[in-house]
Amino acid sequence: MRIQAIRGVKDIMPDEIEKWRWVENKANQVFNRYGFNEIRLPIFEKTKLFSRGIGETTDIVEKEMYTFEDRSGEMVTLRPEGTASAVRAFIEHKMYTAQTVQKFYYLGPMFRYERPQAGRFRQFYQIGVEAMGSHNPSIDAEVMIMLLEFFNVIGLKQFELQINSLGCNKCRPEYRETLKKSITNHLVDLCENCNIRYQKNPLRVLDCKIERDIEIASGFPKITDYICNECKCHFEKVQSLLRETQIPYIINPNLVRGLDYYSHTAFEVTSRELGAQNAICGGGRYNTLVEEFGGPPTPCFGFALGLERLISLIPFNDIKSIEKNPDIFVVSLGEDAKSIVFNLVHQLRSGGLSVERDYEEGSMKSQMRKANKSASLFALIVGENEIKSGNYQLKNMRDGKQSSITAASCVEKIKTLINSKV
Ligand SMILES: [Zn+2]
Ligand SMILES: [Zn+2]
Protein backbone atom coordinates (compact mmCIF):
# COMPACT_ATOMS: atom_id res chain seq x y z
CA MET A 1 0.00 0.00 0.00
CA ARG A 2 1.44 3.32 -1.04
CA ILE A 3 0.10 6.37 0.75
CA GLN A 4 0.55 9.73 -0.89
CA ALA A 5 0.31 13.25 0.48
CA ILE A 6 -3.12 14.84 0.67
CA ARG A 7 -4.17 16.75 -2.43
CA GLY A 8 -3.11 20.40 -2.36
CA VAL A 9 -0.32 19.98 0.18
CA LYS A 10 3.35 19.65 -0.59
CA ASP A 11 6.62 18.69 0.95
CA ILE A 12 9.29 21.35 1.13
CA MET A 13 12.35 19.33 0.29
CA PRO A 14 15.80 19.76 1.86
CA ASP A 15 17.20 21.39 -1.29
CA GLU A 16 14.53 24.09 -1.11
CA ILE A 17 14.54 24.67 2.61
CA GLU A 18 17.69 26.82 2.60
CA LYS A 19 15.79 29.41 0.59
CA TRP A 20 12.97 29.32 3.11
CA ARG A 21 15.31 29.69 6.06
CA TRP A 22 17.16 32.50 4.34
CA VAL A 23 13.94 34.43 3.70
CA GLU A 24 12.71 33.75 7.24
CA ASN A 25 15.98 35.00 8.71
CA LYS A 26 15.88 38.16 6.64
CA ALA A 27 12.30 38.79 7.77
CA ASN A 28 13.37 38.34 11.36
CA GLN A 29 16.33 40.71 10.97
CA VAL A 30 14.34 43.47 9.27
CA PHE A 31 11.29 43.16 11.52
CA ASN A 32 13.45 43.19 14.68
CA ARG A 33 14.89 46.52 13.65
CA TYR A 34 11.37 47.93 13.67
CA GLY A 35 10.66 46.42 17.07
CA PHE A 36 8.65 43.41 15.92
CA ASN A 37 9.39 40.13 17.66
CA GLU A 38 8.15 36.67 16.88
CA ILE A 39 5.12 35.13 18.55
CA ARG A 40 4.29 31.44 18.05
CA LEU A 41 0.58 30.86 17.90
CA PRO A 42 -1.19 27.49 17.87
CA ILE A 43 -2.18 26.15 14.47
CA PHE A 44 -5.64 25.20 15.66
CA GLU A 45 -8.23 27.13 17.58
CA LYS A 46 -11.88 26.96 18.53
CA THR A 47 -13.93 27.26 15.35
CA LYS A 48 -15.90 30.24 16.61
CA LEU A 49 -12.72 32.32 16.87
CA PHE A 50 -12.46 32.28 13.08
CA SER A 51 -16.14 32.39 12.20
CA ARG A 52 -16.58 35.48 14.36
CA GLY A 53 -13.19 37.02 13.66
CA ILE A 54 -13.02 36.64 9.91
CA GLY A 55 -16.74 37.09 9.26
CA GLU A 56 -19.46 34.49 8.75
CA THR A 57 -20.09 35.51 5.15
CA THR A 58 -16.53 35.38 3.87
CA ASP A 59 -15.41 32.66 1.46
CA ILE A 60 -12.91 31.45 4.02
CA VAL A 61 -15.47 30.75 6.71
CA GLU A 62 -18.21 29.54 4.38
CA LYS A 63 -16.23 27.17 2.21
CA GLU A 64 -12.59 26.86 3.06
CA MET A 65 -12.05 26.00 6.70
CA TYR A 66 -10.70 22.68 7.92
CA THR A 67 -13.08 22.15 10.78
CA PHE A 68 -13.58 19.01 12.83
CA GLU A 69 -14.92 17.81 16.13
CA ASP A 70 -12.21 16.70 18.53
CA ARG A 71 -12.54 13.79 20.94
CA SER A 72 -14.27 15.87 23.56
CA GLY A 73 -16.87 17.07 21.08
CA GLU A 74 -15.42 20.55 20.69
CA MET A 75 -15.42 22.11 17.22
CA VAL A 76 -11.90 23.10 16.25
CA THR A 77 -10.41 24.55 13.07
CA LEU A 78 -6.95 24.54 11.52
CA ARG A 79 -6.11 28.23 11.27
CA PRO A 80 -6.92 29.72 7.85
CA GLU A 81 -5.12 32.97 8.77
CA GLY A 82 -3.26 34.40 11.74
CA THR A 83 -4.92 37.64 12.80
CA ALA A 84 -7.77 36.05 14.77
CA SER A 85 -5.28 34.05 16.84
CA ALA A 86 -3.08 37.11 17.32
CA VAL A 87 -6.06 39.07 18.65
CA ARG A 88 -7.05 36.21 20.94
CA ALA A 89 -3.52 35.98 22.34
CA PHE A 90 -3.35 39.76 22.77
CA ILE A 91 -6.44 39.66 24.96
CA GLU A 92 -5.67 36.37 26.71
CA HIS A 93 -2.23 37.57 27.83
CA LYS A 94 -3.50 41.06 28.65
CA MET A 95 -0.92 42.54 26.32
CA TYR A 96 -3.00 45.75 26.30
CA THR A 97 -1.82 46.52 29.83
CA ALA A 98 1.67 47.22 28.45
CA GLN A 99 0.73 50.82 27.57
CA THR A 100 2.91 50.71 24.45
CA VAL A 101 2.16 49.48 20.96
CA GLN A 102 2.51 45.71 20.89
CA LYS A 103 4.38 44.69 17.78
CA PHE A 104 4.89 41.11 16.76
CA TYR A 105 5.01 38.76 13.82
CA TYR A 106 4.31 35.08 13.27
CA LEU A 107 5.28 32.59 10.69
CA GLY A 108 3.92 29.19 9.82
CA PRO A 109 1.37 27.07 8.01
CA MET A 110 -2.21 28.11 7.35
CA PHE A 111 -4.93 25.83 6.03
CA ARG A 112 -7.69 26.45 3.53
CA TYR A 113 -9.73 23.97 1.58
CA GLU A 114 -9.26 25.59 -1.82
CA ARG A 115 -9.69 24.11 -5.26
CA PRO A 116 -6.23 22.82 -6.10
CA GLN A 117 -4.60 24.90 -8.83
CA ALA A 118 -1.12 26.01 -9.76
CA GLY A 119 0.51 27.91 -6.94
CA ARG A 120 -2.36 27.36 -4.51
CA PHE A 121 -1.99 25.02 -1.61
CA ARG A 122 -4.31 23.78 1.09
CA GLN A 123 -1.46 24.01 3.53
CA PHE A 124 0.42 27.18 2.75
CA TYR A 125 2.83 29.37 4.68
CA GLN A 126 2.43 32.94 5.76
CA ILE A 127 4.36 35.59 7.58
CA GLY A 128 1.96 37.82 9.46
CA VAL A 129 2.71 41.10 11.18
CA GLU A 130 0.53 42.92 13.71
CA ALA A 131 0.96 46.24 15.49
CA MET A 132 -1.67 46.61 18.22
CA GLY A 133 -2.58 49.62 20.28
CA SER A 134 -2.25 52.77 18.21
CA HIS A 135 -4.35 54.74 15.79
CA ASN A 136 -1.35 56.86 14.78
CA PRO A 137 -0.96 56.99 10.97
CA SER A 138 2.78 56.59 11.59
CA ILE A 139 2.07 52.96 12.37
CA ASP A 140 0.35 52.43 9.01
CA ALA A 141 3.25 54.04 7.16
CA GLU A 142 5.96 52.40 9.23
CA VAL A 143 4.61 48.88 8.80
CA MET A 144 4.28 49.31 5.03
CA ILE A 145 7.79 50.77 4.85
CA MET A 146 9.13 47.85 6.87
CA LEU A 147 7.52 45.44 4.42
CA LEU A 148 9.04 47.20 1.42
CA GLU A 149 12.42 47.21 3.10
CA PHE A 150 12.12 43.48 3.63
CA PHE A 151 11.37 43.08 -0.09
CA ASN A 152 14.43 45.15 -0.95
CA VAL A 153 16.64 43.13 1.37
CA ILE A 154 15.60 39.84 -0.22
CA GLY A 155 16.24 41.22 -3.70
CA LEU A 156 12.65 41.44 -4.88
CA LYS A 157 12.20 43.88 -7.70
CA GLN A 158 9.35 45.33 -9.68
CA PHE A 159 6.85 45.64 -6.91
CA GLU A 160 4.29 48.33 -6.36
CA LEU A 161 2.56 49.58 -3.23
CA GLN A 162 -1.14 50.26 -3.67
CA ILE A 163 -3.15 51.91 -0.93
CA ASN A 164 -6.73 52.87 -0.28
CA SER A 165 -8.94 54.00 2.55
CA LEU A 166 -11.88 51.81 3.44
CA GLY A 167 -13.48 54.43 5.68
CA CYS A 168 -14.82 53.64 9.12
CA ASN A 169 -18.05 52.47 10.78
CA LYS A 170 -19.39 56.00 10.50
CA CYS A 171 -18.80 56.69 6.82
CA ARG A 172 -18.66 53.29 5.16
CA PRO A 173 -22.37 52.34 5.53
CA GLU A 174 -23.37 55.36 3.45
CA TYR A 175 -20.85 54.53 0.75
CA ARG A 176 -22.01 50.94 0.80
CA GLU A 177 -25.57 52.00 -0.01
CA THR A 178 -24.44 54.38 -2.76
CA LEU A 179 -22.30 51.68 -4.27
CA LYS A 180 -25.08 49.14 -4.03
CA LYS A 181 -27.42 51.42 -5.96
CA SER A 182 -24.84 51.85 -8.72
CA ILE A 183 -24.24 48.13 -8.94
CA THR A 184 -27.97 47.41 -9.27
CA ASN A 185 -28.01 48.76 -12.83
CA HIS A 186 -25.16 46.47 -13.89
CA LEU A 187 -26.09 43.20 -12.24
CA VAL A 188 -26.89 41.41 -15.51
CA ASP A 189 -23.44 42.23 -16.89
CA LEU A 190 -21.52 41.27 -13.77
CA CYS A 191 -20.35 37.73 -13.07
CA GLU A 192 -22.25 35.25 -10.94
CA ASN A 193 -19.86 35.78 -8.02
CA CYS A 194 -20.39 39.51 -8.09
CA ASN A 195 -24.15 38.97 -8.00
CA ILE A 196 -23.72 37.05 -4.77
CA ARG A 197 -21.27 39.62 -3.38
CA TYR A 198 -23.76 42.37 -4.22
CA GLN A 199 -26.15 40.82 -1.70
CA LYS A 200 -23.67 40.06 1.06
CA ASN A 201 -20.92 42.64 0.77
CA PRO A 202 -21.16 44.95 -2.26
CA LEU A 203 -17.66 46.35 -1.65
CA ARG A 204 -16.27 43.05 -2.74
CA VAL A 205 -17.63 43.59 -6.25
CA LEU A 206 -14.78 46.09 -6.61
CA ASP A 207 -12.40 43.24 -5.89
CA CYS A 208 -13.49 41.00 -8.79
CA LYS A 209 -10.63 39.76 -10.96
CA ILE A 210 -12.65 39.30 -14.16
CA GLU A 211 -11.60 41.71 -16.91
CA ARG A 212 -15.09 42.86 -17.86
CA ASP A 213 -16.12 43.36 -14.23
CA ILE A 214 -13.00 45.42 -13.55
CA GLU A 215 -14.00 47.62 -16.48
CA ILE A 216 -17.55 48.06 -15.13
CA ALA A 217 -16.31 48.63 -11.57
CA SER A 218 -14.05 51.46 -12.71
CA GLY A 219 -17.21 53.49 -13.29
CA PHE A 220 -18.62 52.99 -9.76
CA PRO A 221 -18.41 55.72 -7.11
CA LYS A 222 -15.06 55.82 -5.33
CA ILE A 223 -14.93 55.24 -1.58
CA THR A 224 -12.31 57.96 -1.18
CA ASP A 225 -14.96 60.50 -2.25
CA TYR A 226 -17.28 59.35 0.54
CA ILE A 227 -15.09 58.91 3.60
CA CYS A 228 -15.60 61.21 6.58
CA ASN A 229 -13.21 63.98 7.59
CA GLU A 230 -11.50 61.91 10.22
CA CYS A 231 -10.82 59.12 7.72
CA LYS A 232 -9.66 61.62 5.15
CA CYS A 233 -7.17 63.17 7.60
CA HIS A 234 -5.80 59.79 8.52
CA PHE A 235 -5.40 58.75 4.90
CA GLU A 236 -3.72 62.01 3.96
CA LYS A 237 -1.30 61.76 6.87
CA VAL A 238 -0.32 58.22 5.86
CA GLN A 239 0.35 59.46 2.34
CA SER A 240 2.40 62.43 3.47
CA LEU A 241 4.58 60.11 5.60
CA LEU A 242 5.17 57.85 2.61
CA ARG A 243 6.08 60.84 0.48
CA GLU A 244 8.37 62.18 3.18
CA THR A 245 10.34 58.95 3.16
CA GLN A 246 10.21 58.78 -0.64
CA ILE A 247 8.23 55.59 -0.78
CA PRO A 248 6.40 55.37 -4.10
CA TYR A 249 2.76 54.32 -3.94
CA ILE A 250 -0.40 54.56 -5.96
CA ILE A 251 -3.96 54.98 -4.75
CA ASN A 252 -6.22 52.19 -5.93
CA PRO A 253 -9.83 53.08 -5.03
CA ASN A 254 -10.97 49.55 -5.91
CA LEU A 255 -8.70 47.91 -3.39
CA VAL A 256 -11.02 46.54 -0.69
CA ARG A 257 -9.37 43.34 0.66
CA GLY A 258 -11.36 40.17 1.13
CA LEU A 259 -11.90 40.36 4.87
CA ASP A 260 -14.62 42.24 6.70
CA TYR A 261 -12.58 43.61 9.56
CA TYR A 262 -10.52 46.26 7.77
CA SER A 263 -11.12 49.99 8.10
CA HIS A 264 -9.13 53.10 7.18
CA THR A 265 -5.90 52.18 5.43
CA ALA A 266 -5.84 49.05 3.29
CA PHE A 267 -2.93 48.12 1.09
CA GLU A 268 -1.54 45.56 -1.27
CA VAL A 269 1.83 45.02 -2.81
CA THR A 270 1.69 43.68 -6.34
CA SER A 271 4.51 42.34 -8.45
CA ARG A 272 4.84 43.26 -12.09
CA GLU A 273 6.27 39.80 -12.65
CA LEU A 274 2.96 38.29 -11.58
CA GLY A 275 0.67 40.75 -13.31
CA ALA A 276 -1.28 43.54 -11.72
CA GLN A 277 -4.04 41.28 -10.40
CA ASN A 278 -1.70 39.34 -8.22
CA ALA A 279 -0.94 40.74 -4.82
CA ILE A 280 2.06 39.26 -3.03
CA CYS A 281 0.99 40.83 0.21
CA GLY A 282 -1.96 42.64 1.67
CA GLY A 283 -3.10 44.14 4.89
CA GLY A 284 -4.43 47.18 6.60
CA ARG A 285 -5.98 48.67 9.66
CA TYR A 286 -8.50 46.84 11.83
CA ASN A 287 -9.66 48.93 14.73
CA THR A 288 -12.64 47.06 16.14
CA LEU A 289 -11.60 43.41 16.19
CA VAL A 290 -10.00 43.41 19.66
CA GLU A 291 -13.13 44.96 21.13
CA GLU A 292 -15.37 42.50 19.31
CA PHE A 293 -13.43 39.71 21.02
CA GLY A 294 -13.98 41.23 24.45
CA GLY A 295 -10.81 43.25 24.81
CA PRO A 296 -10.51 47.02 25.35
CA PRO A 297 -10.76 49.27 22.26
CA THR A 298 -7.47 48.70 20.46
CA PRO A 299 -6.68 50.03 17.01
CA CYS A 300 -4.44 47.69 15.04
CA PHE A 301 -2.58 47.44 11.79
CA GLY A 302 -1.20 44.32 10.13
CA PHE A 303 -0.47 42.32 7.03
CA ALA A 304 0.01 38.77 5.85
CA LEU A 305 2.38 37.54 3.24
CA GLY A 306 2.29 34.23 1.34
CA LEU A 307 5.69 32.61 1.41
CA GLU A 308 5.35 30.16 -1.51
CA ARG A 309 4.74 32.91 -4.00
CA LEU A 310 7.33 35.22 -2.48
CA ILE A 311 10.05 32.58 -2.59
CA SER A 312 9.22 31.77 -6.21
CA LEU A 313 9.97 35.41 -7.10
CA ILE A 314 13.39 35.73 -5.49
CA PRO A 315 16.42 35.45 -7.80
CA PHE A 316 18.31 32.97 -5.65
CA ASN A 317 21.12 32.69 -8.23
CA ASP A 318 22.42 35.98 -6.91
CA ILE A 319 22.53 34.78 -3.36
CA LYS A 320 25.74 33.04 -2.35
CA SER A 321 25.04 32.73 1.32
CA ILE A 322 22.43 30.05 0.80
CA GLU A 323 24.92 27.56 -0.59
CA LYS A 324 25.03 24.67 1.78
CA ASN A 325 27.89 22.46 0.72
CA PRO A 326 29.96 20.50 3.21
CA ASP A 327 33.41 21.81 4.11
CA ILE A 328 34.94 18.36 3.96
CA PHE A 329 34.08 15.01 2.54
CA VAL A 330 35.92 12.26 4.38
CA VAL A 331 37.01 9.39 2.17
CA SER A 332 38.01 6.27 4.06
CA LEU A 333 39.52 3.05 2.75
CA GLY A 334 40.27 -0.24 4.46
CA GLU A 335 39.38 -1.90 7.75
CA ASP A 336 41.62 0.29 9.96
CA ALA A 337 40.11 3.46 8.55
CA LYS A 338 36.62 2.27 9.45
CA SER A 339 37.43 2.35 13.13
CA ILE A 340 39.05 5.78 12.90
CA VAL A 341 36.70 7.63 10.60
CA PHE A 342 33.63 7.69 12.83
CA ASN A 343 35.45 9.54 15.59
CA LEU A 344 37.36 11.71 13.10
CA VAL A 345 34.10 12.90 11.52
CA HIS A 346 32.72 13.50 14.99
CA GLN A 347 35.70 15.65 15.96
CA LEU A 348 35.59 17.70 12.77
CA ARG A 349 31.89 18.36 13.28
CA SER A 350 32.38 19.21 16.95
CA GLY A 351 35.03 21.63 15.76
CA GLY A 352 32.35 23.52 13.87
CA LEU A 353 32.87 22.12 10.39
CA SER A 354 30.25 20.59 8.17
CA VAL A 355 31.34 17.13 7.22
CA GLU A 356 30.01 14.46 4.91
CA ARG A 357 31.20 10.90 4.37
CA ASP A 358 30.34 7.77 2.45
CA TYR A 359 28.37 5.41 4.63
CA GLU A 360 28.59 2.64 2.02
CA GLU A 361 32.38 2.68 2.34
CA GLY A 362 32.74 2.00 -1.38
CA SER A 363 35.84 2.06 -3.60
CA MET A 364 38.16 5.07 -3.75
CA LYS A 365 36.71 5.96 -7.12
CA SER A 366 33.09 5.83 -6.00
CA GLN A 367 33.86 7.81 -2.82
CA MET A 368 35.64 10.53 -4.80
CA ARG A 369 32.65 10.68 -7.12
CA LYS A 370 30.40 11.27 -4.12
CA ALA A 371 32.80 13.87 -2.76
CA ASN A 372 32.60 15.67 -6.09
CA LYS A 373 28.84 15.50 -6.11
CA SER A 374 28.62 16.91 -2.60
CA ALA A 375 30.55 19.97 -3.85
CA SER A 376 32.64 19.97 -0.68
CA LEU A 377 35.62 22.31 -0.44
CA PHE A 378 38.00 19.53 0.52
CA ALA A 379 38.25 15.77 0.54
CA LEU A 380 40.14 14.22 3.42
CA ILE A 381 41.54 10.86 2.43
CA VAL A 382 42.15 8.30 5.15
CA GLY A 383 43.49 5.02 3.72
CA GLU A 384 45.74 2.24 5.02
CA ASN A 385 48.95 4.00 3.95
CA GLU A 386 47.81 7.25 5.51
CA ILE A 387 47.09 5.59 8.80
CA LYS A 388 50.49 3.85 8.82
CA SER A 389 52.37 7.05 8.04
CA GLY A 390 50.28 9.21 10.36
CA ASN A 391 49.65 11.69 7.53
CA TYR A 392 46.23 12.05 5.86
CA GLN A 393 45.78 13.44 2.36
CA LEU A 394 43.83 16.65 1.97
CA LYS A 395 42.57 17.39 -1.52
CA ASN A 396 41.36 20.83 -2.51
CA MET A 397 38.31 20.03 -4.61
CA ARG A 398 38.40 23.36 -6.43
CA ASP A 399 41.94 23.19 -7.87
CA GLY A 400 42.68 19.48 -7.36
CA LYS A 401 45.86 20.16 -5.32
CA GLN A 402 46.69 17.57 -2.70
CA SER A 403 48.73 17.96 0.47
CA SER A 404 49.71 15.89 3.49
CA ILE A 405 48.31 16.75 6.85
CA THR A 406 49.42 15.27 10.18
CA ALA A 407 46.72 13.04 11.61
CA ALA A 408 47.19 14.24 15.18
CA SER A 409 46.64 17.91 14.37
CA CYS A 410 44.39 17.56 11.34
CA VAL A 411 41.21 18.87 13.00
CA GLU A 412 42.90 22.11 14.06
CA LYS A 413 44.69 22.55 10.74
CA ILE A 414 41.57 22.03 8.67
CA LYS A 415 39.65 24.42 10.87
CA THR A 416 42.25 27.13 10.33
CA LEU A 417 42.37 26.44 6.62
CA ILE A 418 38.60 26.64 6.15
CA ASN A 419 38.14 29.68 8.33
CA SER A 420 40.76 31.47 6.25
CA LYS A 421 38.74 30.66 3.11
CA VAL A 422 35.50 32.08 4.42
ZN1 LIG B 1 -14.83 57.53 8.46
ZN1 LIG C 1 -17.24 39.61 -10.93
Side-chain angles (χ1 to χ4, degrees):
M1 185 174 61
R2 213 175 63 154
I3 300 171
Q4 288 188 308
I6 291 168
R7 205 166 171 216
V9 309
K10 78 171 205 139
D11 303 305
I12 303 167
M13 302 303 285
D15 63 343
E16 298 167 83
I17 208 75
E18 281 307 314
K19 297 179 183 176
W20 285 73
R21 287 236 183 109
W22 185 84
V23 170
E24 290 164 10
N25 285 336
K26 291 293 176 200
N28 185 48
Q29 285 166 15
V30 174
F31 297 171
N32 281 174
R33 277 198 274 129
Y34 285 78
F36 287 77
N37 291 304
E38 188 184 353
I39 184 171
R40 296 226 171 152
L41 300 161
I43 60 167
F44 66 117
E45 300 267 8
K46 291 176 181 170
T47 300
K48 57 177 177 264
L49 178 76
F50 300 115
S51 50
R52 275 182 45 199
I54 302 170
E56 302 275 2
T57 63
T58 52
D59 285 355
I60 297 176
V61 172
E62 279 186 342
K63 301 178 237 178
E64 295 171 358
M65 292 207 305
Y66 276 95
T67 297
F68 56 95
E69 195 180 317
D70 75 4
R71 286 171 191 274
S72 69
E74 177 142 62
M75 294 309 288
V76 297
T77 294
L78 300 180
R79 63 179 182 191
E81 56 105 56
T83 301
S85 300
V87 168
R88 178 200 49 71
F90 177 83
I91 298 167
E92 197 165 325
H93 301 285
K94 298 192 171 60
M95 290 168 82
Y96 46 82
T97 57
Q99 306 280 327
T100 59
V101 183
Q102 296 294 293
K103 300 192 271 190
F104 49 87
Y105 76 90
Y106 46 84
L107 191 161
M110 309 286 159
F111 304 85
R112 289 184 202 173
Y113 192 83
E114 295 199 75
R115 199 177 306 139
Q117 48 175 305
R120 288 257 173 156
F121 300 100
R122 289 176 175 176
Q123 176 176 336
F124 57 99
Y125 290 78
Q126 275 188 349
I127 297 181
V129 163
E130 318 286 353
M132 301 182 156
S134 174
H135 190 55
N136 191 330
S138 300
I139 292 284
D140 309 38
E142 217 175 88
V143 172
M144 291 189 284
I145 291 169
M146 175 177 86
L147 173 69
L148 298 189
E149 183 169 341
F150 168 57
F151 285 166
N152 277 320
V153 165
I154 60 176
L156 208 69
K157 293 178 186 83
Q158 305 270 315
F159 54 81
E160 183 172 82
L161 172 65
Q162 302 190 354
I163 60 172
N164 192 21
S165 174
L166 299 182
C168 65
N169 291 340
K170 281 173 268 166
C171 54
R172 191 159 49 188
E174 192 202 322
Y175 170 69
R176 203 182 151 112
E177 285 317 303
T178 311
L179 178 67
K180 207 168 173 179
K181 271 186 211 128
S182 304
I183 297 174
T184 316
N185 307 327
H186 295 88
L187 278 178
V188 282
D189 300 320
L190 290 165
C191 77
E192 198 182 327
N193 244 333
C194 280
N195 275 268
I196 299 166
R197 287 168 181 152
Y198 164 78
Q199 294 295 342
K200 289 191 209 159
N201 184 357
L203 262 74
R204 293 223 51 211
V205 172
L206 302 174
D207 207 19
C208 185
K209 304 288 182 235
I210 293 169
E211 201 79 25
R212 195 173 63 151
D213 292 19
I214 295 172
E215 181 77 40
I216 298 169
S218 67
F220 291 149
K222 310 264 177 280
I223 189 162
T224 36
D225 296 331
Y226 288 80
I227 53 176
C228 66
N229 261 335
E230 201 193 317
C231 287
K232 211 170 264 171
C233 278
H234 188 94
F235 194 42
E236 267 160 20
K237 187 69 195 162
V238 171
Q239 290 180 62
S240 82
L241 293 169
L242 291 175
R243 282 195 303 268
E244 204 178 303
T245 40
Q246 294 177 336
I247 304 293
Y249 64 91
I250 62 161
I251 297 173
N252 174 0
N254 288 344
L255 191 164
V256 293
R257 308 288 305 142
L259 305 176
D260 287 343
Y261 50 62
Y262 288 111
S263 64
H264 299 86
T265 318
F267 78 96
E268 283 182 358
V269 178
T270 56
S271 160
R272 269 164 232 141
E273 287 169 60
L274 289 171
Q277 305 307 318
N278 280 308
I280 356 176
C281 178
R285 192 161 264 293
Y286 55 101
N287 285 351
T288 54
L289 202 54
V290 173
E291 217 175 337
E292 279 163 36
F293 277 119
T298 309
C300 304
F301 192 93
F303 68 76
L305 174 63
L307 276 171
E308 281 84 358
R309 196 180 259 179
L310 183 72
I311 285 169
S312 76
L313 289 172
I314 301 172
F316 280 102
N317 302 335
D318 305 345
I319 298 162
K320 288 212 173 62
S321 59
I322 62 161
E323 276 178 20
K324 207 63 188 156
N325 308 326
D327 300 316
I328 312 162
F329 192 101
V330 177
V331 172
S332 69
L333 288 158
E335 280 309 304
D336 292 344
K338 275 187 193 172
S339 60
I340 290 173
V341 84
F342 187 86
N343 191 32
L344 178 62
V345 166
H346 167 70
Q347 285 185 35
L348 288 164
R349 284 181 181 146
S350 305
L353 300 171
S354 76
V355 186
E356 203 38 90
R357 56 167 294 197
D358 178 22
Y359 296 96
E360 306 305 315
E361 297 170 329
S363 70
M364 175 79 171
K365 204 172 154 191
S366 104
Q367 290 195 46
M368 285 311 289
R369 204 183 302 129
K370 288 180 185 175
N372 252 321
K373 210 173 161 194
S374 79
S376 67
L377 293 170
F378 294 97
L380 182 65
I381 300 156
V382 185
E384 279 166 15
N385 293 339
E386 282 80 13
I387 292 167
K388 266 187 215 134
S389 69
N391 286 311
Y392 301 152
Q393 292 296 313
L394 188 69
K395 184 177 178 180
N396 184 322
M397 300 300 279
R398 299 286 181 272
D399 60 17
K401 282 187 188 143
Q402 209 158 305
S403 56
S404 275
I405 184 163
T406 319
S409 58
C410 88
V411 174
E412 280 316 306
K413 280 199 180 133
I414 293 172
K415 262 168 71 177
T416 314
L417 194 62
I418 285 175
N419 288 332
S420 71
K421 299 245 172 215
V422 180

